[in-house]
Amino acid sequence: CHLKLDTQGYDIKALRGGEKVLPEIVSLQTEASVIPLYEGCPSYQDSIAYLKERGFELAGLSPITYDERHRLIEFDCLTVNTSQATAAEVAKR
């Protein structure tokens, strides 16, 4: 299955609560912050590292918002579980 998270800065906490089912997930999409929008929000580096440690590799990055100085604030981060995903499965999502 594909999991899309949008928990306003709590994606890693939500994933920790569901770690037992993460191996069954083929692809996962989360928002990652370059400039934190919420107090206690993990950095994009922390989010990507957390997912990588659980077997999810980057498959795509899509900007969401920029600030008035044209700096990237956050982006959608698509990852695939390398132990689960085939190219055909990811293409269907």
Side-chain angles (χ1 to χ4, degrees), residues 15-93:
L15 289 168
R16 283 188 180 126
E19 278 195 356
K20 290 182 182 178
V21 298
L22 286 180
E24 299 173 32
I25 294 174
V26 174
S27 57
L28 186 150
Q29 182 178 339
T30 184
E31 291 180 359
S33 294
V34 176
I35 299 172
L37 295 173
Y38 310 102
E39 188 174 328
C41 178
S43 70
Y44 72 96
Q45 296 104 323
D46 291 339
S47 297
I48 292 170
Y50 177 87
L51 292 167
K52 187 173 178 102
E53 289 167 4
R54 282 145 188 87
F56 289 88
E57 297 288 337
L58 284 176
L61 303 173
S62 302
I64 300 172
T65 55
Y66 295 90
D67 70 7
E68 66 282 348
R69 293 163 54 192
H70 306 286
R71 296 179 302 173
L72 180 62
I73 296 173
E74 63 181 338
F75 57 89
D76 272 335
C77 180
L78 176 64
T79 62
V80 293
N81 183 339
T82 55
S83 68
Q84 289 284 334
T86 66
E89 289 171 324
V90 174
K92 290 179 189 175
R93 298 192 189 325

